[in-house]
Amino acid sequence: MKILMVSSEAVPWAKTGGLADMVSALSISLAELGHDVRIVIPRYYPIDRAKLKLLPGAMGVPMGGGIQEWSAVYATDMPGTSSKNPVKVYFVDHEIFFGRDGIYGNAVETDFIDNSRRFTFFCRAAFQLCKKIKWYPDVLHAHDWPAAVAPVYLKFAERAAGASGEFKKTVSILTIHNLGYQGIYHKDNFDYAGLGWDVFYNGGFEDWSMLNMLKAGLYSADKINTVSPNYAKETMTQAHGFRLDGVLRYRNADYCGILNGIDTEVWNPSKDKYIPETYSLEDMAGKAKAKKALQKEFGLHEDPNIPVIGMVTRLTDQKGVGELFGPTYGSAWSICRDMDLQMILLGSGEYWCENEISGLSSRLSNFSAKIGYSEKISHLIEAGSDFFLMPSRYEPCGLNQMYSLVYGTLPIVRSTGGLVDTVQNYDEKTGNGTGFMFEQLNPSSIYNTVGWAVWAWYNRPKDIKKMQERGMTQNFSWESSALKYVELYEETFKAQGMKIPAGNEPDVPEIVPEKQKKEAPKKETPKKEAVKKETYKKEQPKEKTAKSKKSAPAKTKKSAPAKPKKAAAATTPKKPVAKKTKKK
Ligand code: ADP
């Protein structure tokens, strides 16, 4: 299949979050499966033109009000993809819209005032690009609100009656990476889209008299998905739907969740170049060394016998930082005061939170934080910690809990979104599970569940070891996710009453002379497609039924009975309060 990814971010060129990782990783995996995958992103100011190839000729993009925007197009191959079937990446270079620092905003203007126009133009430009290179995708795969108007153009312009017809066999998918961001702007911006005002209403843009770009995409895309099955369910409820739950329920038949994968080349303890010594299930010595190095890096007492709780996070409300670090009510202070543990954090974000964290660092001897962004330290935290804390308010997929699992670091998470799909709650009776979960987001739930995990660390070392082993053998590779996307693409063709493209069309060069085009040979690989689907079916993961433990109690090393057996007796589930009691 020919697949065009339309995205505002893609690593290694532009990243603010998991979207950038996902777009590139999925594209690479799809290309490895034999598909012809291309990505289009804007050329932001920091992307060095000198490292890209300029396509000949300017590209005109017709917008509303008779405006013709002009841009250049640059291209390169995605690093790490094979030269036989590389993922081609195109950069739309429009100086006024994208020649500035920041993708969506900067320190002064957090949401650029012309974002609606910038990304509407970008969506239109994606089609002009295809026309320019004479390559028409079978699948147009748009990501999040900045690309959400692309399926609208497909439906109401390129596939509509009277259109030139190059995209009549193209289907569209819209992936929601975070429903909290929708691209809501004043409706005065709509004229610029060059779509009639009937589309403003029929195409789903209208949102309480404002213009909502994501909502329009949700109305218009042939299929919609999000980045985990559980988040797909949650977003159809009022509690997690960010006012679009009704639209998603309306599109229920065309909506699903596909779990993101992780980059197993980068996030792999047996290959990790950022940690002092690599390790694996067979030889865990490297994990102990990483713990020592982590404690040193954060200026904590280098003690292998104390559990370390790690965090790497954006400091925003979504991540539950209010309940953890909120002035006077957050539970981080009491966790560190009451429990025999060390807590480590790497993150940046809201100013109040950075301030509170700095305050805690200076007052608590067992809490240490670094405010900032560091790829290297984030790897060290994943490897060197015993537990990884994610008290998220909502989490569409979440990557860190998957990294934690494969690094033998047990996640302590709120049961929301993708965390439910990836972490299995600890069961004291059987020893089963891969992490510790809680349902309600409030300071005492976090306190109790951290306490429960720490109690298990001191009192149930065998269970902890088994949980580590289970986590480290999980398969979160992109390959299985990519196969599910192939299945989704195929379903979309079926639902549209279209034929599923049999294989890859010949790779047409950017500017094709007429003669050469006619001579291009046709390759068909229907057998390969059939094999792929079967593999996918076999690899369907079993649904997990993780239940979270309500009001799990805190226990500290100081309060832990000397013999684990006694501890077990004292913590029979019938009397959970006993676990809370400190030994006097
Ligand atoms: P989100 O995209 O909502 O921030 P995810 O868990 O999906 O959350 O992905 C976040 C990614 O960004 C992870 O790879 C995480 O390790 C990384 N990250 C977040 N904050 C930092 C930081 N301060 N330093 C290094 N990496 C970070």
Side-chain angles (χ1 to χ4, degrees):
M1 274 183 237
K2 291 185 287 184
I3 302 154
L4 179 67
M5 300 284 177
V6 186
S7 173
S8 54
E9 301 183 26
V11 287
W13 298 282
K15 172 173 172 171
T16 66
L19 161 70
D21 295 308
M22 185 274 193
V23 168
S24 297
L26 174 62
S27 302
I28 293 169
S29 296
L30 288 168
E32 281 167 4
L33 291 172
H35 299 281
D36 178 0
V37 189
R38 309 198 181 191
I39 302 175
V40 57
I41 63 168
R43 192 211 63 103
Y44 302 104
Y45 183 64
I47 301 174
D48 188 358
R49 287 185 183 118
K51 293 184 180 152
L52 310 171
K53 189 182 105 192
L54 176 66
L55 301 195
M59 182 171 82
V61 183
M63 302 305 296
I67 298 169
Q68 178 88 344
E69 301 282 1
W70 290 98
S71 66
V73 179
Y74 287 82
T76 191
D77 290 348
M78 172 72 74
T81 51
S82 87
S83 53
K84 275 189 194 156
N85 186 27
V87 173
K88 285 196 190 314
V89 186
Y90 297 93
F91 300 81
V92 176
D93 190 15
H94 188 287
E95 191 62 31
I96 293 174
F97 283 155
F98 302 118
R100 58 181 96 164
D101 264 338
I103 295 178
Y104 312 110
N106 57 31
V108 183
E109 191 184 0
T110 50
D111 188 20
F112 290 133
I113 195 165
D114 55 351
N115 268 348
S116 161
R117 287 172 176 243
R118 294 170 77 222
F119 290 105
T120 301
F121 157 78
F122 170 63
C123 291
R124 192 76 167 129
F127 293 91
Q128 295 307 105
L129 166 73
C130 297
K131 291 174 189 176
K132 182 178 171 69
I133 62 174
K134 295 187 168 50
W135 177 91
Y136 302 101
D138 301 310
V139 179
L140 180 139
H141 189 157
H143 298 265
D144 265 353
W145 72 266
V149 182
V152 185
Y153 278 122
L154 181 66
K155 183 173 176 181
F156 290 96
E158 300 293 349
R159 244 169 34 187
S164 50
E166 295 98 338
F167 294 91
K168 66 176 187 293
K169 289 186 184 159
T170 304
V171 297
S172 65
I173 310 287
L174 175 61
T175 299
I176 304 167
H177 294 258
N178 190 333
L179 198 60
Y181 300 89
Q182 299 177 8
I184 302 175
Y185 298 96
H186 197 282
K187 67 177 176 189
D188 282 358
N189 289 293
F190 185 69
D191 275 328
Y192 181 73
L195 294 159
W197 275 89
D198 54 326
V199 177
F200 183 74
Y201 297 98
N202 300 337
F205 282 99
E206 198 277 333
D207 184 10
W208 292 88
S209 271
M210 296 289 280
L211 177 156
N212 185 325
M213 293 167 74
L214 184 68
K215 181 165 170 272
L218 298 180
Y219 263 73
S220 304
D222 296 324
K223 290 268 182 198
I224 307 161
N225 85 300
T226 188
V227 289
S228 70
N230 190 50
Y231 190 60
K233 278 187 220 152
E234 285 179 353
T235 47
M236 286 189 278
T237 66
Q238 208 177 4
H240 295 274
F242 287 96
R243 300 184 309 107
L244 294 185
D245 47 297
V247 179
L248 292 169
R249 284 197 299 274
Y250 168 68
R251 297 288 327 260
N252 182 18
D254 298 314
Y255 181 39
C256 68
I258 298 176
L259 194 71
N260 278 344
I262 62 173
D263 188 336
T264 48
E265 288 300 305
V266 178
W267 292 98
N268 185 339
S270 63
K271 293 180 181 174
D272 197 318
K273 59 182 194 294
Y274 291 122
I275 58 176
E277 191 180 294
T278 57
Y279 63 92
S280 63
L281 202 50
E282 289 71 44
D283 179 9
M284 293 288 278
K287 185 158 177 72
K289 286 194 180 140
K291 180 167 177 175
K292 193 171 159 56
L294 179 66
Q295 289 169 321
K296 189 170 180 212
E297 175 76 38
F298 278 79
L300 295 170
H301 181 51
E302 290 168 40
D303 181 356
N305 299 316
I306 188 164
V308 173
I309 317 280
M311 285 184 82
V312 180
T313 184
R314 287 187 290 122
L315 301 173
T316 62
D317 185 56
Q318 182 202 329
K319 301 293 178 184
V321 292
E323 284 68 14
L324 200 53
F325 300 112
T328 72
Y329 67 94
S331 55
W333 166 264
S334 38
I335 288 171
C336 293
R337 184 197 54 195
D338 297 349
M339 301 182 203
D340 212 356
L341 52 70
Q342 291 175 342
M343 202 168 187
I344 277 167
L345 179 141
L346 168 68
S348 61
E350 289 170 19
Y351 183 63
W352 73 266
C353 193
E354 293 185 354
N355 252 349
E356 283 297 320
I357 287 169
S358 304
L360 283 183
S361 279
S362 58
R363 279 180 286 143
L364 289 163
S365 61
N366 59 345
F367 178 86
S368 182
K370 288 184 193 284
I371 301 298
Y373 191 97
S374 165
E375 199 72 25
K376 181 174 190 284
I377 297 174
S378 69
H379 280 248
L380 190 60
I381 293 178
E382 287 293 2
S385 302
D386 298 294
F387 298 98
F388 194 94
L389 180 58
M390 291 178 79
S392 303
R393 184 171 304 283
Y394 70 97
E395 197 65 73
C397 175
L399 294 172
N400 279 310
Q401 82 282 7
M402 293 194 266
Y403 301 156
S404 302
L405 287 164
V406 297
Y407 277 75
T409 301
L410 304 184
I412 303 172
V413 301
R414 177 160 178 256
S415 55
T416 185
L419 300 173
V420 173
D421 292 317
T422 47
V423 181
Q424 212 186 341
N425 201 17
Y426 174 49
D427 181 338
E428 281 178 29
K429 281 185 199 155
T430 60
N432 281 338
T434 55
F436 298 82
M437 300 175 90
F438 57 97
E439 260 170 29
Q440 301 300 324
L441 178 58
N442 56 49
S444 54
S445 293
I446 302 174
Y447 179 95
N448 287 336
T449 312
V450 171
W452 183 33
V454 169
W455 169 84
W457 198 83
Y458 285 119
N459 295 286
R460 301 284 177 91
K462 280 185 190 158
D463 285 357
I464 293 283
K465 182 102 187 60
K466 283 245 164 67
M467 288 165 84
Q468 278 185 322
E469 285 171 11
R470 256 175 240 129
M472 290 180 81
T473 48
Q474 305 256 330
N475 177 8
F476 295 121
S477 74
W478 260 108
E479 200 195 350
S480 59
S481 302
L483 287 163
K484 285 177 193 159
Y485 273 97
V486 173
E487 176 133 310
L488 175 64
Y489 299 155
E490 290 176 351
E491 273 171 21
T492 313
F493 284 104
K494 279 188 210 154
Q496 292 297 308
M498 293 181 189
K499 224 178 111 200
I500 298 168
N504 292 336
E505 295 295 318
D507 198 358
V508 181
E510 263 76 71
I511 305 296
V512 193
E514 269 318 295
K515 210 175 147 199
Q516 190 184 333
K517 204 165 73 176
K518 277 177 203 156
E519 286 167 4
K522 282 205 168 185
K523 280 189 273 174
E524 292 213 354
T525 52
K527 274 189 181 166
K528 203 172 176 189
E529 286 294 315
V531 171
K532 261 180 256 161
K533 247 192 112 180
E534 204 170 298
T535 317
Y536 161 65
K537 277 186 182 156
K538 276 183 194 156
E539 282 182 7
Q540 281 266 37
K542 280 180 197 157
E543 201 173 313
K544 286 178 183 166
T545 51
K547 268 194 176 178
S548 61
K549 175 125 180 165
K550 281 179 207 164
S551 65
K555 185 92 180 185
T556 70
K557 183 184 179 184
K558 287 162 200 160
S559 63
K563 287 181 187 171
K565 273 190 184 170
K566 274 187 190 170
T571 57
T572 163
K574 281 178 194 159
K575 290 181 187 172
V577 175
K579 277 188 270 179
K580 256 183 188 169
T581 322
K582 270 193 170 188
K583 202 177 175 187
K584 301 252 165 93

